[in-house]
């Protein structure tokens, strides 16, 4: 590795960030700059001298109220970006996912550059967007999945390198050599798309147990588009998911509990069979995904719901309830 070139790139990036900090925040002390850039005060003074020698109008005021600042009115600009585009960048920033990808500092630096490029009135507006809008990609009541191999997979995708991975399937652990093509964040869950055995498949990143990036490079399929593939694969998945049609009776004031158990979409799309009875119970026909999970969902509602059809699901709910009674009945009462 050419360490001299690497150090040169690091210093160039630091000089740009120092310039943009001064442009965005105005006067800052050398100590404040050092803390923000994670360098020594001496390094800050050397960087200020380097900027001055390069023609940047930067100087340091001495004294208790002094600091480093740019000449009033000076600022560097990004070109080719409209104010609306710059503001959209602030709204689209997802620091959590960026950090998981290993790009947290890159995103922070990019936002700083965009903020510095805006005129003062739009800079205030962009800052207010950050203060007033926050995007959280994860769903409720779901802990973040551990994805320790995400950054390494991302690097392999950028460099088009094959990967040997251990993958935890539902039934066993398998080892695969794959050609990773892209990464997708869906509902707070990371997936990666890869070619293996001449087929394009989707893997859940949290199930990856180990990764080894190989020296072997591969050629990406010329006609592969990640967004198109994901859209088609998602539609096929939703279309092919096993479904069950269920007729139930439920107390009309328990629909919120039903939605929590089987999903708001299923309840919203449910067919109401007649008007509520005198006892306040409704009869609904539901279309639910994953039939094997339906008896457990129904049982979680207790006596507030009754399955009418199909008889098979009704019998499974009864059998599950009996298993629970038997289990607790076997526990001696103290």
């Amino acid at each position: 590795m050419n360490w001299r070139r690497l150090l040169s790139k690091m210093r160039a990036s630091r000089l740009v960030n120092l310039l943009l900090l001064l442009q965005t925040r105005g006067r800052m002390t050398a100590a404040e700059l050092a803390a923000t850039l994670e360098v020594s005060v001496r390094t800050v003074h050397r960087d200020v001298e380097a900027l001055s020698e390069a023609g940047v109008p930067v100087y340091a005021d001495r004294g208790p109220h002094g600091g480093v600042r740019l000449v009033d009115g000076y600022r560097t600009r990004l070109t080719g970006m409209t104010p609306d585009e710059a503001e959209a960048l602030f709204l689209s920033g997802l620091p959590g996912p960026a950090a998981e990808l290993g790009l947290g500092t890159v995103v922070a630096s990019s936002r700083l550059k965009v903020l510095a490029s805006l005129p003062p009135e739009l800079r205030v507006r962009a800052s207010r967007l950050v203060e007033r809008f926050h995007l959280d990609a994860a769903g409720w009541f779901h802990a973040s999945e551990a994805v320790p191999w995400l950054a390494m997979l991302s690097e392999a995708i950028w460099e088009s390198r094959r990967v040997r991975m251990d993958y935890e399937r539902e039934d066993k652990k398998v080892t695969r050599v794959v050609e990773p093509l892209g990464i997708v964040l869906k509902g707070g869950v990371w997936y990666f798309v890869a070619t293996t055995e001449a087929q394009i498949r989707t893997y859940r990143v949290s199930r990856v147990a180990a990764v080894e990036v190989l020296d072997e490079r591969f050629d990406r399929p010329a006609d592969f588009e990640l967004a198109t593939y994901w859209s088609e694969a998602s539609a096929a998945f939703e279309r092919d998911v096993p479904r069950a049609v269920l007729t139930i009776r439920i107390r009309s004031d328990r629909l919120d509990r039903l939605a929590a158990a089987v999903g708001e979409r299923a309840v919203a799309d449910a067919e109401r069979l007649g008007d509520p009875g005198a006892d306040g119970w409704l009869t609904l026909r539901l279309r639910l995904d994953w039939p094997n999970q339906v008896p457990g969902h129904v049982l979680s509602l207790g006596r507030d719901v009754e399955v009418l059809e199909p008889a098979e699901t009704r019998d499974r709910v009864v059998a599950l309830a009996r298993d629970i009674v038997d289990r607790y009945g076997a526990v001696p009462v103290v």
Side-chain angles (χ1 to χ4, degrees):
M1 180 180 293
N2 190 328
W3 290 104
R4 184 171 297 178
R5 179 180 300 176
L6 176 61
L7 291 172
S8 177
K9 289 177 63 177
M10 291 174 59
R11 189 187 187 205
S13 176
R14 190 177 68 244
L15 290 174
V16 171
N17 284 337
L18 189 153
L19 173 59
L20 295 176
L21 281 169
L22 294 176
Q23 180 175 307
T24 305
R25 303 183 186 179
R27 180 188 286 109
M28 297 180 67
T29 67
E32 289 171 337
L33 287 167
T36 303
L37 297 173
E38 297 182 350
V39 296
S40 67
V41 172
R42 176 178 293 183
T43 297
V44 168
H45 287 307
R46 285 201 300 262
D47 288 348
V48 169
E49 291 179 3
L51 287 174
S52 180
E53 292 173 358
V56 176
V58 57
Y59 62 95
D61 292 326
R62 300 188 180 279
H65 301 292
V68 182
R69 69 184 182 91
L70 297 168
V71 171
D72 292 341
Y74 176 85
R75 71 171 184 268
T76 183
R77 287 179 176 271
L78 295 178
T79 60
M81 179 174 288
T82 67
D84 287 343
E85 290 170 338
E87 292 172 5
L89 177 62
F90 277 82
L91 275 179
S92 63
L94 293 173
E100 290 176 328
L101 280 168
L103 299 174
T105 56
V106 176
V107 170
S109 178
S110 299
R111 288 162 66 96
L112 176 61
K113 292 177 182 178
V114 172
L115 190 62
S117 74
L118 298 174
E121 63 276 9
L122 293 180
R123 189 184 310 161
V124 172
R125 183 176 174 183
S127 297
R128 287 178 177 174
L129 281 173
V130 177
E131 294 171 355
R132 289 162 172 78
F133 295 91
H134 176 70
L135 303 179
D136 186 352
W140 286 107
F141 308 113
H142 292 281
S144 298
E145 296 183 335
V147 285
W149 303 106
L150 180 61
M152 189 175 291
L153 288 169
S154 176
E155 181 179 352
I157 290 170
W158 279 113
E159 297 181 357
S160 296
R161 292 186 182 274
R162 291 188 176 91
V163 165
R164 180 183 290 109
M165 69 172 182
D166 293 338
Y167 189 74
E168 300 278 2
R169 292 184 2 184
E170 293 184 358
D171 53 345
K172 61 181 179 180
K173 180 187 291 186
V174 297
T175 300
R176 293 280 188 271
V177 174
V178 301
E179 299 175 349
L181 302 175
I183 289 178
V184 176
L185 178 62
K186 170 72 171 179
V189 178
W190 288 102
Y191 301 88
F192 78 98
V193 180
T195 300
T196 180
E197 300 176 352
Q199 293 183 335
I200 298 178
R201 297 180 180 176
T202 301
Y203 299 90
R204 191 161 178 156
V205 177
S206 62
R207 293 185 179 178
V208 177
V211 166
E212 178 187 0
V213 179
L214 306 177
D215 291 334
E216 308 166 12
R217 294 184 180 271
F218 66 91
D219 295 326
R220 291 175 60 87
D223 58 348
F224 177 78
E225 293 183 359
L226 181 60
T228 300
Y229 165 82
W230 185 259
S231 178
E232 294 174 352
S234 299
F237 176 77
E238 292 185 357
R239 183 180 62 247
D240 298 336
V241 164
R243 287 184 171 84
V245 178
L246 199 70
T247 303
I248 65 170
R249 293 179 68 246
I250 184 170
R251 286 179 49 178
S252 57
D253 60 348
R254 292 295 187 267
L255 290 179
D256 56 340
R257 292 192 59 197
L258 179 64
V262 303
E264 293 183 359
R265 180 177 176 181
V267 175
D269 294 341
E271 179 183 356
R272 294 201 178 195
L273 305 179
D275 297 326
D279 55 2
W281 285 58
L282 295 169
T283 303
L284 304 177
R285 181 175 290 126
L286 300 165
R287 290 167 176 80
L288 304 178
D289 298 337
W290 307 109
N292 290 338
Q293 299 178 8
V294 170
H297 293 327
V298 171
L299 195 60
S300 70
L301 298 171
R303 63 176 61 193
D304 293 332
V305 66
E306 177 189 0
V307 176
L308 302 179
E309 295 178 346
E312 178 186 359
T313 301
R314 183 183 178 96
D315 292 342
R316 290 180 61 196
V317 171
V318 172
L320 184 58
R322 284 175 175 163
D323 286 345
I324 294 174
V325 171
D326 291 343
R327 178 176 296 277
Y328 283 93
V331 178
V333 178
V334 179

